[in-house]
Amino acid sequence: MAPRPLDYESINENVKKTQYAVRGELYLRASELQKEGKKIIFTNVGNPHALGQKPLTFPRQVIALCQAPFLLDDPNVGLLFPADAIARAKHYLSLTSGGLGAYSDSRGLIGIRKEIAEFIERRDGYPSDPELVFLTDGASKGVMQMLNTIIGSNKDGILVPVPQYPLYSAAITLFGGSLVPYFLEEEANWGLDVNNLRQAIAGARSRGITVKAMVIINPGNPTGQCLSRTNIQELLQFCYQENLALFADEVYQQNIYQDERPFISAKKVLFDMGPPISKELQLISFHTVSKGYWGECGQRGGYFEMTNLSPQTVDEIYKVSSISLSMNVSGQIFLGLMVNPPKPGDISYLKFSMERYEELIISSSNHNDSFLMIDCEVFIFTYVTVINMHCYHCSKAVLESLRRRAQIMTDGFNSCRNVVCNFTEGAMYSFPQIRLPPRAIEAAKKAGKVPDVFYCLKLLEATGISTVPGSGFGQKEGVFHLRTTILPAEEDMPAIMASFKKFNDGFMEQYEDYRGYSRM
């Protein structure tokens, strides 16, 4: 009997070849162990709310009113929701053709695209056209849409950093293109050498591959490095010289844990460079509500902005977007709220700032509830005074906590036998190198596993810590890593790192032929 159309033998070969390590073998095994009752710490994916980060109140209030607009007609709505949340909900509902249950324009609601364009202009100091901003169900959908647009055959190549977020390798495989890796330098804190780019593109062209675009992830995933202005200038100049489009994945722009290299967008650097490059280089920039202090992964809100694309190409991208009719409207509203949050003078501004910067300042949630329900100038004055005092002493505590967690994790890894780790400058991840002894590599081969998969599975079974092996992101031959988020609660981090150290040092003791295995 001939295979049926959806039998394994008949399905798209590109689907079979596609791999996505973040939800791969380790994640599936962790889910099995969880079902068996084992406590699992899922550090395999940047999922802030799943690891305890609390949602911001103001956007949830606005979305609640948008989802249940009949509440706006209740005479007591002002007792439950602040006036600015009510006003913002009415504003967003007025942009729709029938509330959150109605399709929007395939590019997204024009009012929200205007808010995003204004945010970009404030951030970069250069105009942004809302007609060139498309909203998507998370940044990943935007990346996939643009890769699908630019890849026409297996001879079309995309330069991707290695280690890389496996969305890129998976999507390039799925769309039938060729991934062209360029290696980041671990010894230089995952820095980028333009010579590596030149070698990568020359090698690809020698194989008959037309390299059409380059991907940068800034801040980096999984490596956590932040690009300097000089680095970005070099990359832009390289793309211009080689006639490449640049895909700038900037979803972690709020997650910066050092002061030497603040986030600078690729668009700002491009426009600072001036003509002719600023008028000609094609740039696609991506952002999302899933990261930063929002962490709203489940809301699936993202956007991309196009720079220097021809009107005909933009029309074709719109045509493909129209196939899906529209992205989810609640995700669009979250985008609007992210780029246009409460401002000084708004009734929700201080509470929003407190939650943004100072997780758990006030231990009793009753104080917060009272603020929403009591219209009393004396109370508000007292509350504001308390918040301001805390703000004075604890400015930006959420990001500061993430910075401390990054340091705790880095120090913890570097205290372990045969483990070396660069400091996480940005994003949400740590990417330590695991110096596996030859006997461990041999044991992995006998078990039919890639060596870092073998190590990560042993770690999972022993500790419940679910990570992602470095082989899922790409790495140099004979070098092994794992990726973990820095998102577990700060108070849990010492215990997690102690558990890791106990496992790792025992693993090394088991497989080393002698003590003092090289850390070089």
Side-chain angles (χ1 to χ4, degrees), residues 18-310:
T18 300
Q19 301 291 328
Y20 186 68
V22 174
R23 291 283 175 93
E25 180 181 0
L26 265 294
Y27 174 78
L28 296 175
R29 179 56 182 151
S31 298
E32 290 176 0
L33 291 172
Q34 189 178 49
K35 290 176 184 177
E36 295 170 7
K38 185 176 181 67
K39 181 181 177 181
I40 302 297
I41 304 170
F42 285 99
T43 69
N44 60 300
V45 63
N47 195 7
H49 290 190
L51 289 169
Q53 182 172 315
K54 297 183 185 304
L56 301 171
T57 300
F58 181 76
R60 291 303 182 96
Q61 290 169 331
V62 174
I63 209 74
L65 290 167
C66 290
Q67 291 280 12
F70 54 82
L71 293 175
L72 294 168
D73 298 325
D74 191 301
N76 295 316
V77 67
L79 298 177
L80 297 173
F81 296 90
D84 51 355
I86 294 170
R88 191 69 74 88
K90 290 179 178 178
H91 163 69
Y92 286 125
L93 288 171
S94 74
L95 300 179
T96 71
S97 58
L100 271 61
Y103 290 128
S104 75
D105 184 276
S106 299
R107 295 163 292 188
L109 295 166
I110 181 59
I112 293 176
R113 287 189 282 128
K114 287 180 178 177
E115 287 183 311
I116 291 170
E118 291 166 359
F119 157 77
I120 293 170
E121 183 169 347
R122 289 193 305 272
R123 184 194 67 190
D124 296 340
Y126 295 101
S128 174
D129 184 351
E131 295 301 318
L132 299 177
V133 174
F134 279 35
L135 310 189
T136 54
D137 286 317
S140 297
K141 284 293 180 68
V143 169
M144 294 180 72
Q145 183 173 345
M146 292 310 303
L147 287 172
N148 193 24
T149 299
I150 203 169
I151 293 172
S153 75
N154 62 1
K155 293 298 183 181
D156 289 338
I158 310 295
L159 274 167
V160 177
V162 174
Q164 53 95 31
Y165 178 48
L167 161 68
Y168 292 95
S169 54
I172 291 167
T173 300
L174 188 62
F175 298 137
S178 293
L179 185 146
V180 180
Y182 65 91
F183 286 95
L184 304 177
E185 296 298 330
E186 185 170 10
E187 296 78 9
N189 201 28
W190 299 112
L192 194 154
D193 186 343
V194 175
N195 290 325
N196 290 346
L197 292 173
R198 295 194 179 99
Q199 292 172 6
I201 201 168
R205 287 171 176 167
S206 70
R207 300 192 301 274
I209 295 172
T210 300
V211 182
K212 301 180 76 172
M214 175 179 172
V215 173
I216 61 170
I217 307 174
N218 182 40
N221 177 9
T223 50
Q225 87 286 359
C226 296
L227 294 177
S228 67
R229 174 184 287 273
T230 301
N231 246 171
I232 298 172
Q233 287 174 334
E234 291 174 336
L235 298 176
L236 292 167
Q237 195 65 45
F238 173 81
C239 289
Y240 183 60
Q241 292 169 348
E242 301 293 344
N243 192 29
L244 307 178
L246 180 63
F247 289 11
D249 182 333
E250 299 174 336
V251 302
Y252 296 102
Q253 60 188 259
Q254 295 170 338
N255 296 91
I256 305 294
Y257 312 125
Q258 40 71 44
D259 302 319
E260 291 76 20
R261 280 177 298 281
F263 170 77
I264 308 173
S265 75
K267 180 181 177 181
K268 175 172 176 54
V269 177
L270 175 65
F271 277 56
D272 283 349
M273 293 171 75
I277 186 171
S278 63
K279 298 288 188 181
E280 297 179 19
L281 189 139
Q282 296 176 322
L283 171 66
I284 313 294
S285 305
F286 303 91
H287 197 16
T288 180
V289 299
S290 296
K291 310 305 176 185
Y293 54 83
W294 286 72
E296 293 282 2
C297 299
Q299 307 296 344
R300 309 314 301 138
Y303 74 79
F304 61 86
E305 182 195 25
M306 298 168 282
T307 302
N308 294 329
L309 271 63
S310 69

Side-chain angles (χ1 to χ4, degrees), residues 200-513:
I201 201 168
R205 287 171 176 167
S206 70
R207 300 192 301 274
I209 295 172
T210 300
V211 182
K212 301 180 76 172
M214 175 179 172
V215 173
I216 61 170
I217 307 174
N218 182 40
N221 177 9
T223 50
Q225 87 286 359
C226 296
L227 294 177
S228 67
R229 174 184 287 273
T230 301
N231 246 171
I232 298 172
Q233 287 174 334
E234 291 174 336
L235 298 176
L236 292 167
Q237 195 65 45
F238 173 81
C239 289
Y240 183 60
Q241 292 169 348
E242 301 293 344
N243 192 29
L244 307 178
L246 180 63
F247 289 11
D249 182 333
E250 299 174 336
V251 302
Y252 296 102
Q253 60 188 259
Q254 295 170 338
N255 296 91
I256 305 294
Y257 312 125
Q258 40 71 44
D259 302 319
E260 291 76 20
R261 280 177 298 281
F263 170 77
I264 308 173
S265 75
K267 180 181 177 181
K268 175 172 176 54
V269 177
L270 175 65
F271 277 56
D272 283 349
M273 293 171 75
I277 186 171
S278 63
K279 298 288 188 181
E280 297 179 19
L281 189 139
Q282 296 176 322
L283 171 66
I284 313 294
S285 305
F286 303 91
H287 197 16
T288 180
V289 299
S290 296
K291 310 305 176 185
Y293 54 83
W294 286 72
E296 293 282 2
C297 299
Q299 307 296 344
R300 309 314 301 138
Y303 74 79
F304 61 86
E305 182 195 25
M306 298 168 282
T307 302
N308 294 329
L309 271 63
S310 69
Q312 296 93 331
T313 299
V314 174
D315 288 344
E316 293 300 316
I317 294 169
Y318 176 67
K319 179 180 68 179
V320 174
S321 296
S322 299
I323 296 172
S324 299
L325 290 175
S326 81
M327 69 165 288
N328 79 87
V329 179
S330 60
Q332 296 184 47
I333 292 173
F334 269 97
L335 281 168
L337 291 163
M338 179 184 74
V339 300
N340 187 18
K343 299 176 177 59
D346 293 346
I347 192 170
S348 295
Y349 173 73
L350 289 166
K351 181 177 176 66
F352 177 84
S353 297
M354 177 193 74
E355 292 178 337
R356 174 182 173 182
Y357 294 130
E358 302 182 57
E359 193 173 16
L360 300 178
I361 283 177
I362 295 177
S363 59
S364 171
S365 62
N366 292 333
H367 293 129
N368 298 339
D369 295 337
S370 298
F371 181 57
L372 298 180
M373 299 179 66
I374 298 176
D375 184 14
C376 171
E377 290 184 5
V378 173
F379 175 79
I380 292 175
F381 175 79
T382 303
Y383 185 85
V384 167
T385 301
V386 171
I387 296 303
N388 282 333
M389 288 174 63
H390 281 287
C391 287
Y392 179 77
H393 293 292
C394 309
S395 175
K396 300 184 180 180
V398 168
L399 293 177
E400 288 297 327
S401 174
L402 285 169
R403 184 185 296 217
R404 288 193 297 272
R405 280 179 264 178
Q407 193 65 62
I408 291 170
M409 189 162 275
T410 302
D411 292 344
F413 284 133
N414 284 321
S415 74
C416 297
R417 287 174 67 173
N418 303 340
V419 179
V420 290
C421 186
N422 288 316
F423 177 68
T424 300
E425 297 179 339
M428 296 179 171
Y429 310 100
S430 190
F431 198 63
Q433 183 180 152
I434 313 298
R435 308 289 194 178
L436 293 175
R439 286 179 56 203
I441 296 172
E442 185 62 31
K445 290 179 180 177
K446 288 181 180 178
K449 301 292 182 184
V450 176
D452 53 11
V453 174
F454 178 79
Y455 177 91
C456 290
L457 281 170
K458 294 286 189 182
L459 171 67
L460 173 65
E461 300 278 354
T463 67
I465 301 172
S466 177
T467 60
V468 188
S471 51
F473 301 92
Q475 53 197 354
K476 292 181 179 180
E477 185 71 27
V479 180
F480 306 105
H481 300 82
L482 63 80
R483 189 195 78 166
T484 175
T485 71
I486 62 167
L487 294 174
E490 185 175 348
E491 60 269 23
D492 296 335
M493 195 69 79
I496 291 172
M497 296 313 299
S499 179
F500 177 88
K501 180 176 175 60
K502 180 180 179 181
F503 159 77
N504 175 82
D505 292 359
F507 180 95
M508 297 301 170
E509 184 75 27
Q510 178 181 355
Y511 288 104
E512 278 186 331
D513 289 320

